[in-house]
Amino acid sequence: MLVVLLTGCILLCGCTGEQSTQMQKGKIIGIEPGAGIMQKTEVAIQDYGLDYTLVSSSSAGMASELTKAINSGKWIVVTGWTPHWKFARFNLKYLDDPKGIYGGEEYIGALARKGFETDNPGAYVILSRFSWASDEMASVMLAIEDGKTPENAADEYIAAHPDQVSSWIGSVKGDGSLVTVGYVLWDSEIASTNVLKKVLEQAGYTVKMVAVDAGPLYQAVSTGDVDCTISAWLPTTQSTYMDKYRDNLVEVGKVLTGAKVGLVVPDYVTIGSIDELNSVKDKFQ
Ligand code: PBE
């Protein structure tokens, strides 16, 4: 009984609190607090003078809010990025960003700890060659979204792309040594890191994937706690982390070009630019 009462009270308080925020401001549905896109969105709120609150969540939470809103035809604005399966599933668009807060064309980079190349030249060279196209990465993300385990989705990708995989591996013969790959639990990086793991394993390495938040990930590469990562969105998205750690890590290469981040809305939302968000604030509550 007490539990019921308490729960009721918490729910009630939660609702009231939320309603009063909703009264004042529109909401932008965000993802994990440490993501670069969250930092840029705080800057966007500031620089565009947006009367909006950024709600942090997770990549999965954002995607389920988006799905719910679209299923009921509601307006929603989320922090979004490409490649991502949501663009295959829904009709979505980026809001124009005339101030360029989110940068232009982004790339996903491979980073390694200093010394990784000398300690493990074979694994390093695979990392430096690992690159693919947006739609290739998105296909793995979509397979996972459709219910495959990340491992299975990666296995299937590898089985379907033997030429690409051998272009990454080349003549490298791994000696079974351990490679630790840091990553963040974003849908995009779950997909790519699982594929990289399988590729390194196929080449003869033992791979450990270590999931951490974005800030700690850059730190881990810089201190050598992990060997490498392919979770770096640059030059703009994670510039705060890169500026802090650049001197203490190695920029290995580009894993994917033509990436993009920004504020994303369903197609039926009738504005086209971040500039216009304040004028339709009430629709986004
Ligand atoms: N993202 C997707 C990340 C990288 C992967 C755009 C959410 C970010 O740092 O914001």
Side-chain angles (χ1 to χ4, degrees):
M1 183 60 181
L2 188 62
V3 177
V4 174
L5 278 176
L6 279 175
T7 319
C9 177
I10 290 163
L11 283 176
L12 205 67
C13 302
C15 280
T16 325
E18 192 168 299
Q19 257 167 19
S20 64
T21 348
Q22 282 181 358
M23 299 279 282
Q24 297 149 11
K25 292 187 165 192
K27 278 197 280 186
I28 299 173
I29 307 301
I31 58 165
E32 291 81 359
I37 200 172
M38 295 294 279
Q39 297 166 340
K40 296 302 169 198
T41 302
E42 292 294 359
V43 176
I45 288 174
Q46 208 59 40
D47 287 13
Y48 286 98
L50 298 180
D51 203 6
Y52 281 73
T53 312
L54 175 60
V55 183
S56 54
S57 166
S58 62
S59 299
M62 174 276 287
S64 85
E65 290 289 318
L66 183 67
T67 308
K68 263 196 293 179
I70 291 176
N71 286 342
S72 52
K74 293 219 172 82
W75 282 32
I76 184 169
V77 53
V78 304
T79 58
W81 64 97
T82 318
H84 193 283
W85 58 264
K86 60 185 176 283
F87 289 94
R89 175 78 40 95
F90 305 119
N91 290 322
L92 303 171
K93 62 185 179 187
Y94 280 97
L95 293 177
D96 287 345
D97 171 23
K99 292 187 195 287
I101 308 289
Y102 294 95
E105 187 182 314
E106 292 285 282
Y107 66 88
I108 302 177
L111 308 176
R113 67 171 171 86
K114 286 193 170 169
F116 180 50
E117 182 175 11
T118 10
D119 295 345
N120 201 335
Y124 183 92
V125 86
I126 293 175
L127 182 68
S128 72
R129 287 197 290 239
F130 185 84
S131 81
W132 55 352
S134 250
D135 57 335
E136 293 170 331
M137 183 165 167
S139 73
V140 181
M141 296 171 79
L142 194 60
I144 298 170
E145 172 53 21
D146 282 341
K148 300 224 163 87
T149 65
E151 292 244 314
N152 286 346
D155 276 336
E156 282 178 19
Y157 183 86
I158 282 177
H161 297 81
D163 295 346
Q164 188 178 40
V165 172
S166 45
S167 77
W168 293 332
I169 296 179
S171 58
V172 172
K173 297 257 178 302
D175 54 3
S177 58
L178 178 67
V179 180
T180 48
V181 186
Y183 73 116
V184 190
L185 291 173
W186 297 311
D187 309 83
S188 35
E189 280 52 44
I190 292 172
S192 59
T193 309
N194 272 280
V195 173
L196 176 64
K197 174 177 192 277
K198 298 283 175 181
V199 170
L200 286 167
E201 285 173 351
Q202 188 162 318
Y205 294 98
T206 309
V207 179
K208 191 168 134 210
M209 288 172 56
V210 183
V212 274
D213 284 341
L217 175 62
Y218 274 79
Q219 190 179 23
V221 177
S222 77
T223 56
D225 283 347
V226 297
D227 290 316
C228 59
T229 183
I230 50 169
S231 296
W233 283 56
L234 297 164
T236 304
T237 314
Q238 294 164 2
S239 59
T240 315
Y241 297 129
M242 202 52 181
D243 290 347
K244 187 162 173 203
Y245 293 106
R246 179 173 283 115
D247 293 344
N248 298 310
L249 47 76
V250 179
E251 293 181 68
V252 180
K254 292 183 180 176
V255 170
L256 184 144
T257 55
K260 184 171 169 63
V261 307
L263 294 183
V264 169
V265 295
D267 245 2
Y268 54 73
V269 166
T270 53
I271 58 165
S273 170
I274 297 177
D275 269 343
E276 298 166 86
L277 273 172
N278 279 348
S279 65
V280 288
K281 188 187 80 182
D282 295 347
K283 300 244 199 189
F284 284 108
Q285 287 181 354

